[in-house]
């Protein structure tokens, strides 16, 4: 019997193209206005993973011709202090986008902090205002990982209308918004979460599976419908996703690798949305 091998969805290559286009747009803004698009990244404490993510995002900004301003706050920062910092950045005309690296520590009210980011600078798409705009199909910034997932689906011409999409995970930054974006594209969306009675049964019905959990190989390959599209947003220790890749790729039609699938797209969308924000704030035409 011949074994199927899914086509890989190459997030690294697509992200490179998005970043290249973004760099051209950033340079054009600088040439026309003398102002370089600027992303402020706010880091609370010194969690090694967060420090690495922020360093990576700032390096990508630099390569794309986007300025980045790092605001490092001590781990003991209070909610009020963090809210104050984010409000100040929201009012600073030299800053076009704001990224609060999370998690921010259990003593901080993360939602209150996110809500201190002005919607027009919410390039990471974390505020309730951004979520509402996205859900109502209004202009605004998508949450970056969901936005990146949609770009990947489009780049590989995945038809969504009428297809059954199963999103595993319902976090505010990933599961919930990606479900809303799929719904907006006329997919029939099912959300699964830690209380879902029979996850495998739901996955078996899916034409499109989005795994957004953070549990290594939770989605078994044998539950993937033949020919399904599998998007693995999970990232677990040892470069392992939420999907059992080796078996899933023998059944799926298209599948994202981990790493090199969803991850690079997240940063690409962040940079793109920073340039969108700068264009809008400087009164230039947007995409
Ligand atoms: P999160 O806030 O911890 O949410 C995890 C979700 O998974 C929750 O909705 C939870 O359900 C659900 N869940 C937990 N155990 C489950 C189980 N056994 N069966 C079904 N659902 C279960 O995580 P997140 O921030 O959304 O991140 C999810 C994953 O994506 C992580 O691996 C993270 O590293 C990765 N991620 C990647 C990127 C990227 O750029 N590639 C960006 C963000 C996140 P309840 O709601 O019921 O608790």
């Amino acid at each position: 019997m011949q074994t199927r091998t899914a086509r890989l969805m190459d997030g690294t290559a697509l992200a490179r193209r998005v970043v290249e286009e973004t760099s051209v747009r950033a340079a054009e803004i600088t040439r026309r206005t003398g102002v370089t698009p600027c992303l402020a990244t706010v880091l609370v404490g010194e969690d090694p993973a967060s420090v690495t993510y922020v360093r990576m995002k700032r390096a990508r900004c630099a390569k794309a011709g986007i300025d980045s301003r790092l605001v490092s706050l001590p781990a003991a920062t209070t909610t009020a202090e963090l809210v104050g910092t984010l409000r100040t950045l929201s009012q600073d005309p030299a800053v076009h986008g704001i990224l609060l690296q999370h998690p921010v520590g259990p003593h901080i009210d993360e939602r209150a902090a996110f809500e201190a980011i002005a919607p027009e600078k919410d390039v990471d798409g974390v505020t309730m205002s951004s979520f509402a705009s996205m859900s109502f199909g209004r202009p605004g910034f998508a949450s970056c990982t969901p936005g990146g997932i949609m770009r990947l689906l489009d780049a590989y011409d995945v038809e969504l209308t009428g297809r059954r999409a199963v999103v595993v995970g319902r976090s505010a930054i990933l599961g919930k918004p990606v479900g809303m974006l799929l719904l907006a594209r006329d997919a029939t969306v099912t959300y699964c979460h830690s209380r879902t009675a029979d996850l495998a049964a739901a996955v078996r019905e899916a034409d499109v599976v989005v795994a957004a959990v953070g549990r290594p190989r939770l989605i078994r390959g044998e539950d993937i419908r033949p020919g399904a599209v599998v998007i693995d947003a999970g990232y677990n220790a040892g470069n392992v996703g939420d999907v059992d890749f080796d078996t899933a790729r023998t059944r799926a039609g298209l599948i994202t690798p981990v790493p090199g699938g969803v991850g690079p797209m997240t940063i690409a969308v962040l940079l793109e949305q920073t340039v969108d924000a700068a264009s809008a704030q400087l009164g230039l035409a947007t995409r």
Side-chain angles (χ1 to χ4, degrees):
M1 202 179 80
Q2 204 187 351
T3 315
R4 169 199 281 274
T5 306
R7 190 169 162 219
L8 291 185
M9 300 173 88
D10 188 345
T12 305
L14 179 59
R16 194 180 303 123
R17 285 204 295 279
V18 172
V19 173
E20 274 165 17
E21 285 162 21
T22 300
S23 312
V24 170
R25 292 177 57 221
E28 179 66 8
I29 290 173
T30 307
R31 190 186 65 77
R32 284 177 63 185
T33 66
V35 177
T36 301
C38 174
L39 174 70
T41 52
V42 179
L43 177 64
V44 182
E46 290 170 2
D47 169 64
S50 295
V51 170
T52 304
Y53 283 135
V54 165
R55 194 185 305 125
M56 207 159 78
K57 287 167 186 171
R58 297 190 72 218
R60 296 289 163 78
C61 279
K63 267 182 90 175
I66 296 171
D67 278 346
S68 69
R69 185 192 296 182
L70 174 62
V71 181
S72 265
L73 301 172
T77 300
T78 63
T79 300
E81 287 164 345
L82 181 56
V83 163
T85 298
L86 292 163
R87 287 211 179 118
T88 303
L89 291 170
S90 290
Q91 285 160 10
D92 184 340
V95 169
H96 306 106
I98 301 171
L99 168 90
L100 171 60
Q101 184 63 44
H102 54 103
V104 285
H107 66 288
I108 291 178
D109 179 346
E110 186 174 85
R111 180 48 43 200
F114 281 149
E115 294 309 312
I117 299 172
E120 66 273 18
K121 297 189 180 183
D122 180 23
V123 292
D124 201 22
V126 293
T127 61
M128 292 196 280
S129 167
S130 295
F131 185 85
S133 299
M134 181 201 65
S135 304
F136 282 85
R138 296 285 177 174
F141 295 116
S143 191
C144 289
T145 306
I149 289 171
M150 299 310 289
R151 296 291 285 271
L152 264 173
L153 290 168
D154 286 342
Y156 284 83
D157 294 322
V158 175
E159 175 62 50
L160 294 169
T161 302
R163 307 290 294 281
R164 288 163 297 190
V166 168
V167 179
V168 191
R170 56 174 167 179
S171 71
I173 57 140
L174 182 44
K176 259 184 209 143
V178 80
M180 298 309 288
L181 292 172
L182 290 163
L183 182 64
R185 300 286 295 277
D186 298 324
T188 302
V189 180
T190 302
Y191 284 100
C192 297
H193 45 78
S194 66
R195 305 296 178 93
T196 295
D198 191 346
L199 176 63
V203 172
R204 281 198 289 270
E205 294 296 310
D207 301 308
V208 178
V209 179
V210 180
V213 179
R215 299 266 186 285
R217 301 190 188 91
L218 175 76
I219 312 292
R220 299 182 309 187
E222 69 217 58
D223 294 327
I224 300 298
R225 264 170 82 91
V229 177
V230 178
I231 304 286
D232 191 350
Y235 186 73
N236 306 290
N239 277 342
V240 174
D242 288 348
V243 176
D244 185 353
F245 181 82
D246 291 339
T247 44
R249 78 177 304 192
T250 65
R251 294 173 66 84
L254 282 167
I255 190 167
T256 56
V258 176
V262 174
M265 289 305 298
T266 300
I267 298 188
V269 170
L270 174 72
L271 300 185
E272 183 174 66
Q273 295 195 146
T274 300
V275 169
D276 290 344
S279 288
Q281 286 160 46
L282 293 165
L284 302 175
T286 43
R287 271 187 298 140

